[in-house]
């Protein structure tokens, strides 16, 4: 994780969000007949699925195979991941009484996480493992909306109509993220990424008031471990400086903002991660290669750069395209 610390690297490292998953035929084969959440609880499956893209693509990091709602499931929240829909919560949070369902996560709740991470670290050798969790806002949006949302209307309404309830919920979810990430780090994860996937749906004012303090609590609690802390959200170009100020060591950037402009917006010199538009994976190599060159050039404006997509790998991606991108990034960015 040299690049995440802003240290010299032999080449720009590359990994892909959602690199393990539906784009790989071997993943679809091993998951057949097994639900998403169930697969996340089986260490033998987690290990194999996490390793698949490392073998396929030669990426410089593995991302732990899991889901951001798994710790909620582990503490007894009634939810399921419905194919083609996403996480669906049976009883959305509407009042202070509903908060009782969100209790602290203990290592005993997620022993399968410890086992999976330990096995992965032993098999990955020198390839770092990135652990992850959902940020308080994004996880809260599922609990309040009852499932995925395009406008987060119920979540925003709760923030403004009952700030005390909102902050109580977000504080509990910060504790969930801290405990869940601590388990992964203590089991051997080399870095962690906090996904605030849907924070881009907020204004900067709302983010600063209702979200940043809770993400900051997560990052502050993890500082003691000394591992790089990455932060990423979609459509967060207007929030980059605030997400950085929450305590991230590395700021993830989606495809909407060029990396050199993102560095300017972040303000404080920090490594960045990103940011090839996933749609270009279907555009042919003649379109992809110039974008790789551009992104590598823009990334030089930061103290460190981790090449990635601007969001996750689409499920119908040709794996060979990702393999070719990894080889190209390594070759083009090789230091003398």
């Amino acid at each position: 994780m040299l690049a995440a610390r802003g240290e010299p690297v032999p080449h720009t490292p590359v990994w892909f969000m959602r690199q393990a998953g539906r784009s790989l035929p071997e993943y679809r084969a091993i998951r057949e007949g097994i639900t998403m959440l169930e697969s996340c609880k089986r260490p033998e499956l987690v290990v194999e699925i996490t390793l698949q893209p490392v073998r396929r693509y030669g990426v410089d990091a593995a991302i732990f195979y899991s889901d951001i709602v798994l710790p909620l499931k582990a503490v007894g929240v009634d939810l399921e991941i419905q194919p083609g829909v996403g996480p669906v919560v049976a009883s959305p949070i509407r009042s202070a009484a509903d908060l009782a369902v969100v209790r602290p996560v203990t290592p005993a709740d997620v022993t399968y996480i410890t086992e999976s991470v330990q096995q992965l670290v032993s098999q990955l050798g020198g390839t770092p493992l990135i652990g992850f969790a959902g940020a308080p806002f994004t996880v809260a949006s599922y609990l309040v909306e009852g499932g995925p949302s395009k406008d987060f209307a119920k979540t925003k309404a709760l923030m403004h109509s009952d700030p005390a309830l909102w902050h109580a919920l977000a504080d509990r979810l910060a504790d969930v993220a801290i405990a869940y990430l601590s388990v992964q780090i203590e089991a051997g994860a080399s870095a962690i990424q906090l996904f605030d996937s849907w924070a881009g749906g907020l204004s900067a004012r709302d983010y600063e008031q209702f979200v940043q303090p809770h993400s900051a609590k997560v990052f502050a609690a993890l500082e003691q471990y000394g591992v790089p802390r990455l932060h990423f959200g979609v459509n967060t170009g207007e929030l980059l400086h605030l997400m950085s100020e929450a305590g991230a060591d590395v700021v993830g950037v989606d495809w909407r903002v060029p990396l050199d402009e993102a560095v300017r917006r972040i303000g404080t010199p920090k490594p960045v991660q990103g940011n090839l538009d996933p749609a270009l994976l279907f555009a042919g190599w003649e379109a992809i290669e110039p974008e790789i060159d551009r992104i590598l050039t823009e990334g030089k404006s930061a103290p460190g750069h981790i090449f990635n997509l601007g969001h996750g790998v689409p499920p119908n991606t040709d794996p060979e395209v990702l393999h070719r991108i990894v080889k190209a990034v390594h070759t083009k960015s090789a230091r003398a």
Side-chain angles (χ1 to χ4, degrees):
M1 299 306 293
L2 296 174
R5 302 182 189 277
E7 298 176 9
V9 291
H11 57 254
T12 299
V14 53
W15 68 278
F16 305 110
M17 288 179 281
R18 293 184 187 156
Q19 64 188 17
R22 294 172 292 175
S23 63
L24 292 174
E26 55 265 42
Y27 168 83
R28 294 193 294 270
I30 201 171
R31 269 282 318 277
E32 191 170 355
I34 304 171
T35 67
M36 175 68 185
L37 290 176
E38 179 59 30
S39 68
C40 294
K41 296 178 183 179
R42 298 188 188 183
E44 72 281 3
L45 285 180
V46 172
V47 171
E48 171 59 20
I49 292 169
T50 302
L51 291 174
Q52 285 174 352
V54 179
R55 298 191 201 107
R56 270 268 194 168
Y57 307 137
V59 287
D60 297 291
I63 179 72
F64 187 57
Y65 174 72
S66 187
D67 190 272
I68 62 172
V69 299
L70 185 63
L72 295 180
K73 185 73 171 180
V75 299
V77 176
D78 188 358
L79 62 83
E80 296 297 337
I81 297 179
Q82 294 186 3
V85 178
V88 175
V89 178
S91 300
I93 288 179
R94 296 287 181 267
S95 68
D98 298 330
L99 291 179
V101 71
V102 185
R103 68 167 177 80
V105 176
T106 69
D109 293 319
V110 289
T111 55
Y112 46 84
I113 298 295
T114 298
E115 184 178 347
S116 297
V117 172
Q118 289 175 340
Q119 288 187 29
L120 276 166
V121 171
S122 69
Q123 295 190 40
L124 280 166
T127 302
L129 175 67
I130 303 172
F132 78 90
F137 168 75
T138 290
V139 177
S141 73
Y142 288 115
L143 288 173
V144 175
E145 302 286 340
S149 172
K150 292 183 178 180
D151 57 12
F152 308 101
K154 295 184 179 69
T155 308
K156 293 178 183 181
L158 176 62
M159 285 177 172
H160 289 275
S161 66
D162 195 342
L165 176 57
W166 167 259
H167 285 295
L169 171 60
D171 186 65
R172 289 191 180 215
L173 292 174
D175 289 338
V176 168
I178 291 165
Y180 189 58
L181 290 168
S182 296
V183 166
Q184 294 174 61
I185 296 169
E186 290 170 7
S190 300
I192 60 92
Q193 178 156 301
L194 191 67
F195 281 91
D196 212 349
S197 306
W198 310 134
L202 298 171
S203 68
R205 182 182 293 106
D206 281 356
Y207 179 88
E208 188 171 21
Q209 180 178 354
F210 295 110
V211 176
Q212 188 189 49
H214 305 289
S215 293
K217 179 181 178 179
V218 177
F219 285 123
L222 299 176
E223 185 176 9
Q224 62 176 316
Y225 293 108
V227 302
R229 298 159 297 172
L230 294 74
H231 202 12
F232 174 76
V234 182
N235 203 13
T236 52
E238 299 301 321
L239 306 177
L240 289 173
H241 68 292
L242 294 172
M243 294 180 73
S244 172
E245 289 173 359
D249 300 305
V250 180
V251 180
V253 184
D254 80 358
W255 68 92
R256 295 172 176 87
V257 180
L259 286 182
D260 50 0
E261 171 61 14
V263 169
R264 188 192 68 78
R265 294 185 187 188
I266 290 166
T268 305
K270 285 186 178 183
V272 294
Q273 178 176 277
N275 66 343
L276 182 68
D277 187 340
L280 295 182
L281 298 176
F282 309 101
W285 191 249
E286 295 76 13
I288 294 172
E289 187 171 25
E291 288 297 292
I292 293 174
D293 294 335
R294 177 184 62 80
I295 291 165
L296 288 174
T297 298
E298 292 170 356
K300 291 177 181 177
S301 62
H305 175 212
I306 301 168
F307 193 97
N308 208 311
L309 300 180
H311 197 197
V313 175
N316 52 340
T317 301
D318 179 357
E320 184 52 37
V321 173
L322 295 176
H323 184 215
R324 193 172 181 182
I325 290 172
V326 173
K327 290 170 62 178
V329 170
H330 285 172
T331 300
K332 291 172 179 291
S333 66
R335 275 56 160 180

